[in-house]
């Protein structure tokens, strides 16, 4: 991992951009973080829209985490941002757009082609990023995962033992195969659902929540569409991570 830029934000949070091979990422650490007092880490997920476009939302989440004494980090998803285009996923996105514009149901084949290859690539990259990040003296774990493509969060919750709690957003298409993986999830979960999300199948989201094998799982459902998440929902998520990462 190589740091490429560094700046101190007005609230004392240290923001550092880095590269991990070809993968760009950002690390935010609270002003209190140092080698003698390492802090827990929250890995921030995001949709495949590119880090530059997602930056305002990501830095807001990172600053909220820093206020609780946690570091936060994110990496660019495969095929997004400045990373090389990915022909198979680009085709799946085009098929999805055509189905939505025609008012047709989104087939399982489109969902599988769009999501499963992304999960297969993004999860190993996230684990490699954790290897690099947790080697820094100011970061000591435990680790939480927050937001992003929910299928990525499911796979990480199953295969990555360093992640002890996850906050998931039920706002993306979920392949049927991920429901079986959801039954293997046992860590505490905080799941956010926008009740009127125009791009999400509400019943599928409820079925997925039911499938999670965690003994501690909470569903927070709010009225409104995909981008209408209320501010207090972020505060609830911060409280969830404060309980499990301290």
């Amino acid at each position: 991992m190589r740091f490429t830029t560094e700046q101190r934000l007005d609230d004392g949070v240290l923001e550092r951009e880095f590269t991990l091979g070809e993968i760009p990422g950002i690390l935010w650490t609270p002003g209190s973080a140092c080698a003698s007092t390492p802090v827990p880490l929250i890995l921030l997920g995001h949709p495949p829209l590119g880090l530059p476009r997602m930056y305002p939302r990501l830095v807001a989440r990172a600053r909220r985490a820093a206020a609780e004494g946690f570091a936060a980090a994110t990496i660019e998803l495969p095929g997004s941002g400045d990373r090389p285009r990915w022909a198979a996923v680009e085709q799946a996105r085009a098929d999805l757009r055509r189905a939505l514009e025609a008012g047709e149901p989104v087939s399982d084949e489109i969902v599988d082609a769009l999501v499963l290859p992304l999960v297969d690539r993004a999860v190993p990259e996230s684990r490699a990023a954790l290897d690099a990040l947790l080697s820094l003296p100011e970061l000591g774990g435990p680790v939480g995962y927050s937001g992003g493509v929910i299928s990525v969060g499911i796979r990480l919750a199953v295969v990555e033992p360093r992640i002890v709690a996850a906050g998931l957003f039920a706002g993306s298409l979920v392949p049927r195969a991920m429901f079986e993986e959801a039954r293997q999830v046992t860590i505490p979960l905080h799941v956010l659902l926008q009740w009127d999300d125009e791009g999400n199948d509400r019943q599928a989201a409820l079925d997925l929540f039911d499938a999670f094998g965690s003994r501690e799982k909470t569903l927070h459902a709010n009225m409104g569409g995909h981008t209408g998440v209320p501010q207090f929902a972020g505060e609830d998520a911060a409280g969830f991570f404060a309980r499990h990462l301290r």
Side-chain angles (χ1 to χ4, degrees):
M1 184 172 69
R2 182 174 66 89
F3 289 108
T4 56
T5 69
E6 177 178 313
Q7 66 169 330
R8 185 76 64 174
L9 305 182
D10 55 15
D11 55 1
V13 173
L14 179 63
E15 177 184 279
R16 287 174 284 177
E17 295 183 357
F18 64 85
T19 58
L20 186 66
E22 67 168 13
I23 307 169
I26 311 173
L27 171 64
W28 296 270
T29 48
S32 59
C34 62
S36 60
T37 56
V39 298
L41 172 68
I42 298 177
L43 189 62
L44 301 180
H46 53 89
L49 301 175
L51 284 182
R53 182 172 171 183
M54 292 303 303
Y55 175 81
R57 286 185 244 176
L58 288 166
V59 72
R61 291 162 61 194
R63 293 173 108 159
R64 186 179 290 116
E68 297 289 342
F70 306 142
T74 191
I75 59 172
E76 185 64 271
L77 287 168
S80 295
D82 294 329
R83 296 189 64 181
R85 297 297 94 189
W86 190 359
V89 172
E90 292 288 324
Q91 181 61 55
R93 289 173 182 168
D95 292 341
L96 175 63
R97 284 193 298 270
R98 276 196 294 272
L100 294 175
E101 290 168 0
E104 299 172 351
V106 179
S107 69
D108 289 345
E109 290 76 13
I110 292 176
V111 175
D112 288 354
L114 184 67
V115 179
L116 292 178
L118 178 64
V119 172
D120 289 342
R121 283 199 191 182
V123 168
E125 291 180 354
S126 294
R127 300 187 75 187
L130 284 180
D131 290 342
L133 290 162
L134 292 177
S135 71
L136 299 173
E138 64 268 35
L139 303 182
V143 179
Y145 177 82
S146 174
V149 178
I150 195 169
S151 293
V152 172
I154 292 169
R155 175 73 58 81
L156 277 170
V158 172
V159 303
E160 180 47 74
R162 291 171 292 188
I163 294 177
V164 301
L168 304 176
F169 181 36
S172 52
L173 297 168
V174 181
R176 293 184 185 275
M178 297 307 301
F179 282 73
E180 187 56 40
E181 292 195 37
R183 295 183 177 92
Q184 303 173 47
V185 175
T186 58
I187 62 174
L189 297 178
H190 176 102
V191 182
L192 176 64
L193 170 65
Q194 286 300 103
W195 199 249
D196 306 303
D197 190 335
E198 59 281 359
N200 187 37
D201 183 331
R202 182 197 303 163
Q203 188 58 54
L206 295 174
D207 291 343
L208 180 64
F209 180 79
D210 188 53
F212 284 124
S214 303
R215 294 183 63 185
E216 180 187 338
K217 57 180 179 179
T218 305
L219 179 67
H220 288 246
N222 297 290
M223 305 305 293
H226 188 83
T227 59
V229 180
Q231 183 175 354
F232 62 76
E235 297 165 3
D236 291 341
F240 167 78
F241 284 113
R243 289 196 305 277
H244 292 288
L245 298 185
R246 286 207 176 105

